[in-house]
Structures are given as C-alpha cells and as structure tokens.
Amino acid sequence: MTPLLEVDNLHVVFDTDRGAVRAVNGVSFAVQPGETLGLVGESGCGKTMTAQAILRLIPSPPGRIAGGRILFDGEDVLLARPERLRRLRGAAIGMIFQEPLSALNPVLSVGTQLTELLTAHGSVSRTAMRQQALETLSEVGLPDPPALLRAYPHQLSGGMRQRVVIAMAIALRPRLVIADEPTTALDVTVQAQIITLFKQLKARHHMTLLLISHDVGVMVQLADRIAVLYAGHVVEEAPTATLFTAPRHPYTRGLLAAIPARRAPGELPEAIPGAVPDAAQLPSGCPFHPRCPRVLEVCRGTFPEMTVFDPAHRAACYNPEPIVNDVNDVKDGKDG
Amino acid sequence: MDAASPSAAPGTSPSGQTPFRRGLRRLRRNRVAMASWWILVALYAAAVLADALAPYHFDDDRRDLTAHPPTQIHLVDREGRWHWPFVYATRPTLGPYHRRQFIEDRSIRYPLRLLARGQRYRLLGLVSSDRHMIGVEAPARLYLLGADSRGRDLFSRLLYGARVSLSIGLVGVFISFVIGLFVGGLAGYFGGWVDDLLMRVCEMIMMIPSFYLLLALRAAFPPELSSVQVYLLIVIIMAFIGWAGLARVVRGLAFSLREREFIVAARAAGRSHVGIIVSHLLPNTASYAIVAATLSVPGYILGEAALSLLGLGIQDPHASWGNLLSEAMAIAQVRLHPWVLWPGAFIFIAVMAYNFLGDGLRDAFDPRMEAVRR
C-alpha cells in the first residue's frame, strides 16, 4: 500500500543570533491511509515543527526547511506552488491546533469562521454553506448548532471551542488530519470526551490522522503506530502495542517509566535524568547519550542507523534494550 | 446567552455578550462622551438640513446691511403690548464719530414666522420646498448671529459651512484609514523587506511638518479652482498626510497578531494572504482603529479651517467655518463686530466633541484599557 503521507529525511533549521538551531534533524516516517500515527516526545523535540513543516507553516524567516521531502499522496509538498499549496491546506490536509481559544479569531463568530473556510475553497451557495456548517458542528457533537453559528469563541467552554476547532479542520473532509496536541489545553474529563470524538470520527470517516502529543496516555487510546522523537530525530517507531510491551530504545523505556499509571501503587514514576539538549548545541553522536543509562563509547561518535527488529519495529540505538515480556503494560498504560 | 448551552463551563463568559456590546454599554455610561455624541449628531443633522433650517441661502446678500449686528427679537411693542416674538426692519445711519449704526423702524412689526416662505431649495436633492424653519418677511431681516461684511446671514452661512467643515473630516479620515489600515496590515503581516520599505515611506511622510506640507501641496495647484475641486484637493492632501501615523500603529498591532495561533490556523486552512489580512488581521485592530479615527477627525477640521482661513481653501461665496473665520483676522473687525468669532466657537465645539467622544470610545473599547478598569 502506498502511504498517504511520507516524510523523508526532513530537516528544519532556525537561523538565530546564537547560530543555526536544528529543530528537526532527518525525521522520516510514513502514514498509511486510514491509519493513526502518533508522534510522541518531550517538549522541544521537534514534534510541532515537523507538523508545521508538512503544511509549510514554519515562520520564515527565521525558520527554513533545510532538506528532505514531504510526499502527500505522491506529490512533494515542498515543491508545491503557492496556489497548489493553498488548495492542499484545509481542503486536503486539515490541522487542529493545541490552544482552542487562540486558534479561533476572537472577533468573528463561529459561523463566520466556518463559512469563510468553506468559501475559501470553492464557491458554494449561502444556504448550502450554512447547511454544511450546521452538519459539521453537529458531527463533532456540539449541541444547538444554529445558535452556535452566532456565538463568539469567548462565549464557549474550552471543550466546545476544541470541538469547533476540530469541526473547522474536518469541514472540508480532508484526507489527512494533523492534530497538534489536541487535548493538552483541556481538563481531564474534556480530554476523555475529545478522545472519544476522535475515535468516532476515525471509525465513521476512515480518517487518516497524524497525532502529535507528549501525552502517552492519549497515544495509547488513539494511535495505531507511534514514532518517538528525541531532539529532532525519530529514535523508535513501532505499532502501539509493541512499543509499550517491548520498547527497544532506552529513551522510549525512560518515557514509559515516567508514566505514573504504569507504576505499582505507592511507587514513584521514574524521571529521565537531565534535560532535553539545546537544539543550538546538540551533543555529538546520539543526542540521548548524555542521559542514557545504556550509553556506550560508540554512542558519542555518530548517530546510529535505524535497526529493524521486525518489519514494523525500528529503533536507532547501538545498544537496544532487551525484550521483556510484560503484557499487562498495555492495559495499565491507558490513563497516563 | 442561549448559544452557550448545556456544557458551557462557568466563568467562560461573564456577561454573555460580545465585546462590542459590552463596550457600547460602557460608552453609554460615560456622560461626557454621550453628550459629545449628541452634540455631533445635532451638528451633522444641521449641516444636512441646512437648506431648511437656515433662514437664507448662503449667498443671499444685502449690500445695505453690511456687518449688521444680531437682530433684536422683541416681545413688547411701543405701546407696551405683548406679542408673539417679532422684529423691526432696520436701516443704516451714521452715528457719532461717523460710525455706522442700524436704526429700527418701529412702525411695522414683522413677526417671526415658523415654516416661513423663502428661497426655493431641494432638500437632500429630493424634496422641493420653499419653507424655511424660521424667517421674517422682507424688508425685515433675521440675523440671528449677525451679518458678514456683505450683509449675508452668518447663522445661515454657518449651517452651510458645516457641510464642508464637518464632512471633510469624515471623508479625509475614511480615505486615510483605508490606506493606513491596508499598508499597516501588509507591513505587519509580511514583515521583512515589505515592512522595511513601507515603514520608511511612512517615516518620510511623518518627518515633514504636516501644515507646511499642506501649504506646499496646495501651492503646487493653480489658485483658481472651483470650490468642489478645492474641497477634493484638501481631502486628498490631508488624507495623504494622515495615513502614515495610523499605518505605523496598525503595523505594530499586526506584528503581534500574526504570531497568534488563529492566523497560523487560517493559513493552515488555506486562506490567501490578502484574505487573512482583511478578514482576520484588520478586524482585530478595529477597536483601536475606531478610536484613532475619531480622535483624528479634529485634525482634518482644523486643517481645513487653517487653509480656508488663509484663503487657500474654500472660496467665497461658498462657506466653510474656516473662511467664515477669516473675517475675524483683523483685530479691528473683532472689536467692532465681535459676532464674527462665532465660526470659531463652532469649530471649538466640534473639535472638543470629537476629542471627548474619542476618549470615551477608547475607554470603552480599547482592550488595552481593560487592565486599568479592573
């Protein structure tokens, strides 16, 4: 099967006063049609930059895409002309942002923002447009869509706003939806509702989703496969169940050990020592080596090649974790 | 509000109203601003209805009654009987030291007529009528605020002059705001060299003292232009000077707005640059723009007044508050005929009303005042 989205050796660099900050260093992954791929990692590991690069939203200057290819349905997005790019954005690829209040224009009503999106991609009659807006709003589980069209973002609760943001992202039935931390700004009960909504949308529309989150708990519930990012590199990629039961990269293992719900009662979660390296001064070799419990001499030299453990499971490590059989982990990891 | 139905969390929307409505309510509570608003409404209404309100046409002169003082309105006649307010006809004579005086002919009373017949006009270019709100029969003359040096009624001329003086501010501000918002929006949204180029142009315009630029630009055109041409010229010149300051502020606002997520979201949704500027960026600067527009109207009124005062603006017989005031340029005139200062009073009232209204609007709508209020 040909992937719907293929990111190949993507490099994103920010030219700052302190020198070049390498935010993304050769990220590669592929998303199959109908599948949900999760990008997971700590803050500053390049998740958001990767997502924004796909739609070429990196603020430039100072940012620039320094190399690589982004193939959407076989077409290189990085070579798309402005008019073609505008067609891809919104109509073919929808994007959901982290902060629902700031992702909505405070001075325009929900209806204006939704219909404006529809007009931007082909002229539809006013009544058809209104109908489509109402349908989309009820599809994301919002009550009383006609009244909602007149409402302003500040009149809605956080959960409703995020539903509106999701409605805007899926209004044009894009073939790929990129969700950048869609639940991070919400409180826990609303998070659960939004996750349920995503599950429904996935089931109903066979939606292809690129989900970005630092929250492993969200990933477990939504992602089919997960790619773990660290300092702008994909360090491990595996189906969700495999990743949780048999992580091979020490960083993935550390990330899973830091989830409170995966620990026995009374036992504290294990933090990974140290902090994410400064993207302006990345360590040589494997960027994780200063924090790695399994570090070898070779790790300081060059970045390790991806090792393929089985066709769907790859990790970039010279000294991967041994396989442990702990099947319970998958179930316990749900609410991390 | 009903839109925030079942699952609306408490505290998301204190009053359940749009920011605009909340601002409007704050504005209504501001007495000075509301008084200014109604004064301006009255002035603009008077300008629009000048044909019907003014007793005389602006060019209706009486060469024998030059510099006539305000007509005395009587209630009691020679015999001490009370009447509906009336006036006497006057004629000029030479008084002591050969000063001209006007003597009332007390033999015939001329009652003030409401809806008096006078010169025909077409109100708003539609309704033809010869009724004037107030008037007296000839040969008596009703000079409510005195007459000018050609015996024309100053009050009537003030009403007609308000059309020029008050509209020039609105038209000028409109033009300069269209330019200023667009240039500022472009510069702020794109940044980089676009921003550099546009802002250097703004600075070049702002660098020049505006009144001298106004004079120089006016001088560049032939002096013998019709009043309509001069009017358009003044508007264009002043709008040309006025947009730069606004563009700089809007650019600053746009600069901070373009990093906001909803702008990135609009780009992610495939909106064009111009679409984003017009429908996302500029509406968010609207509260500032409305305030700034109101506060910059007085500049246009004063600019027109200054040009016309110097004889470079609206030309006689057409009236504007500026050229009416030019009679007050000689101190001897002011001492002998103090009523020639009335146009100055009108300019003062209009300018102050705009300033107070602008302050009120800023207090009510500018989001940056929010911190001060709390």
Side-chain angles (χ1 to χ4, degrees):
Chain A
M1 196 157 41
T2 49
L4 181 62
L5 176 74
E6 196 177 349
V7 174
D8 182 21
N9 199 20
L10 179 71
H11 289 262
V12 175
V13 176
F14 280 78
D15 298 309
T16 68
D17 301 340
R18 300 184 305 147
V21 174
R22 286 175 290 142
V24 179
N25 293 305
V27 162
S28 301
F29 58 83
V31 189
Q32 303 296 334
E35 155 188 76
T36 297
L37 176 71
L39 290 184
V40 73
E42 288 170 88
S43 313
C45 68
K47 306 182 297 263
T48 299
M49 283 307 138
T50 306
Q52 297 200 344
I54 294 168
L55 282 177
R56 285 176 48 192
L57 292 171
I58 306 276
S60 165
R64 65 191 159 84
I65 295 171
R69 287 191 312 165
I70 295 169
L71 298 178
F72 176 75
D73 203 14
E75 173 186 357
D76 195 336
V77 176
L78 298 182
L79 301 177
R81 303 175 68 83
E83 193 49 34
R84 175 67 195 147
L85 190 63
R86 225 166 61 67
R87 294 280 131 210
L88 284 175
R89 291 171 174 173
I93 306 176
M95 189 150 179
I96 296 164
F97 287 83
Q98 175 172 359
E99 182 61 63
L101 183 56
S102 55
L104 294 170
N105 189 334
V107 302
L108 299 181
S109 70
V110 170
T112 312
Q113 300 191 46
L114 250 176
T115 47
E116 186 197 78
L117 175 75
L118 300 177
T119 31
H121 294 280
S123 50
V124 199
S125 77
R126 277 188 69 86
T127 45
M129 221 156 57
R130 191 181 146 83
Q131 197 52 43
Q132 199 178 343
L134 290 174
E135 270 167 27
T136 314
L137 286 177
S138 53
E139 173 148 33
V140 295
L142 282 163
D144 198 5
L148 206 63
L149 286 183
R150 291 190 304 272
Y152 286 83
H154 73 272
Q155 295 169 325
L156 308 177
S157 67
M160 294 173 85
R161 282 177 204 144
Q162 189 59 297
R163 283 174 197 265
V164 170
V165 170
I166 293 170
M168 290 176 66
I170 65 164
L172 292 155
R173 299 267 170 271
R175 297 167 65 198
L176 172 70
V177 174
I178 302 174
D180 186 4
E181 304 267 8
T183 59
T184 306
L186 307 171
D187 57 46
V188 184
T189 47
V190 182
Q191 266 188 22
Q193 293 169 10
I194 297 293
I195 289 170
T196 310
L197 172 63
F198 271 114
K199 281 181 179 166
Q200 289 167 355
L201 291 173
K202 273 175 61 177
R204 208 178 299 153
H205 298 299
H206 195 62
M207 188 167 83
T208 311
L209 183 66
L210 178 61
L211 179 69
I212 292 160
S213 183
H214 67 271
D215 187 339
V216 183
V218 174
M219 286 297 174
V220 179
Q221 300 188 55
L222 286 174
D224 302 316
R225 286 191 305 124
I226 293 178
V228 180
L229 257 65
Y230 186 79
H233 295 274
V234 175
V235 294
E236 184 162 7
E237 189 186 332
T240 307
T242 314
L243 193 85
F244 274 77
T245 47
R248 301 308 296 270
H249 198 283
Y251 175 66
T252 313
R253 219 198 77 78
L255 209 58
L256 297 177
I259 301 169
R262 285 173 62 88
R263 314 297 295 176
E267 200 187 346
L268 284 176
E270 234 175 77
I272 305 173
V276 182
D278 183 349
Q281 289 151 355
L282 287 179
S284 63
C286 172
F288 189 59
H289 82 253
R291 302 169 76 187
C292 184
R294 300 177 61 83
V295 60
L296 303 173
E297 198 47 49
V298 63
C299 299
R300 298 177 217 278
T302 53
F303 188 80
E305 290 286 314
M306 273 284 180
T307 315
V308 179
F309 298 100
D310 69 63
H313 191 176
R314 306 179 298 156
C317 189
Y318 289 115
N319 188 15
E321 302 270 345
I323 293 172
V324 279
N325 276 321
D326 183 3
V327 185
N328 290 334
D329 276 1
V330 183
K331 268 188 293 179
D332 295 347
K334 291 226 162 169
D335 297 309
Chain B
M1 195 174 146
D2 53 349
S5 41
S7 60
T12 42
S13 160
S15 60
Q17 286 183 321
T18 65
F20 177 74
R21 283 182 183 281
R22 269 183 288 155
L24 213 57
R25 224 183 38 215
R26 280 196 291 269
L27 183 67
R28 288 227 182 81
R29 283 202 298 267
N30 184 340
R31 290 215 193 109
V32 180
M34 284 318 284
S36 302
W37 164 252
W38 288 114
I39 287 173
L40 288 172
V41 168
L43 284 174
Y44 277 91
V48 171
L49 303 174
D51 293 307
L53 296 180
Y56 304 101
H57 186 251
F58 63 82
D59 201 20
D60 185 355
D61 58 353
R62 275 283 291 270
R63 297 301 170 95
D64 55 332
L65 299 180
T66 58
H68 192 290
T71 310
Q72 291 216 1
I73 296 171
H74 302 269
L75 289 167
V76 183
D77 68 11
R78 271 187 304 185
E79 282 83 37
R81 281 190 300 258
W82 287 75
H83 296 275
W84 171 256
F86 63 88
V87 301
Y88 294 117
T90 51
R91 64 188 159 77
T93 57
L94 285 182
Y97 309 107
H98 289 264
R99 272 176 65 173
R100 275 172 87 242
Q101 285 183 334
F102 292 92
I103 295 196
E104 291 181 328
D105 173 7
R106 305 231 162 160
S107 56
I108 311 169
R109 288 184 291 108
Y110 295 92
L112 287 188
R113 289 267 161 78
L114 297 178
L115 298 180
R117 289 193 179 278
Q119 192 167 353
R120 279 206 89 77
Y121 59 88
R122 290 181 83 85
L123 190 61
L124 307 175
L126 297 172
V127 190
S128 177
S129 170
D130 61 353
R131 299 285 184 177
H132 294 256
M133 186 188 70
I134 197 166
V136 294
E137 274 173 34
R141 211 45 190 180
L142 182 66
Y143 292 127
L144 288 173
L145 299 177
D148 71 359
S149 56
R150 285 176 57 195
R152 295 175 297 196
D153 178 30
L154 188 58
F155 177 70
S156 301
R157 286 179 64 72
L158 274 170
L159 292 184
Y160 283 99
R163 291 180 164 178
V164 170
S165 296
L166 293 178
S167 68
I168 223 162
L170 291 189
V171 179
V173 161
F174 178 78
I175 296 173
S176 70
F177 268 63
V178 170
I179 305 173
L181 283 175
F182 195 70
V183 170
L186 280 181
Y189 178 74
F190 287 110
W193 67 267
V194 180
D195 179 40
D196 282 338
L197 177 76
L198 292 173
M199 285 306 107
R200 295 303 85 76
V201 173
C202 284
E203 278 156 20
M204 260 147 63
I205 288 170
M206 293 172 74
M207 213 160 59
I208 308 165
S210 61
F211 192 69
Y212 297 101
L213 182 59
L214 197 58
L215 282 179
L217 286 170
R218 175 64 187 90
F221 289 90
E224 63 284 350
L225 292 172
S226 78
S227 280
V228 177
Q229 288 171 320
V230 171
Y231 178 89
L232 291 175
L233 189 62
I234 294 175
V235 168
I236 290 165
I237 291 174
M238 301 224 296
F240 175 73
I241 298 169
W243 65 267
L246 180 81
R248 278 193 68 89
V249 181
V250 169
R251 173 246 180 205
L253 294 174
F255 225 74
S256 66
L257 282 168
R258 74 169 181 155
E259 304 295 333
R260 295 274 294 277
E261 220 165 38
F262 67 84
I263 300 286
V264 184
R267 287 214 292 139
R271 297 280 286 153
S272 64
H273 290 311
V274 175
I276 291 172
I277 292 174
V278 171
S279 62
H280 288 283
L281 208 66
L282 294 183
N284 277 285
T285 66
S287 59
Y288 170 80
I290 292 166
V291 172
T294 312
L295 288 174
S296 61
V297 171
Y300 288 81
I301 295 177
L302 291 172
E304 180 278 324
L307 269 189
S308 296
L309 182 78
L310 295 175
L312 297 168
I314 305 299
Q315 301 292 320
D316 211 284
H318 294 277
S320 82
W321 290 353
N323 77 8
L324 290 178
L325 199 56
S326 63
E327 287 211 5
M329 276 172 63
I331 196 73
Q333 280 285 326
V334 177
R335 206 167 63 82
L336 287 172
H337 318 123
W339 55 89
V340 297
L341 284 175
W342 271 111
F346 276 75
I347 293 172
F348 177 78
I349 288 168
V351 167
M352 291 309 280
Y354 265 113
N355 280 327
F356 284 128
L357 179 63
D359 283 344
L361 283 172
R362 183 171 52 203
D363 291 349
F365 286 103
D366 196 333
R368 277 156 301 175
M369 299 293 289
E370 201 86 32
V372 184
R373 275 195 296 271
R374 295 276 151 81

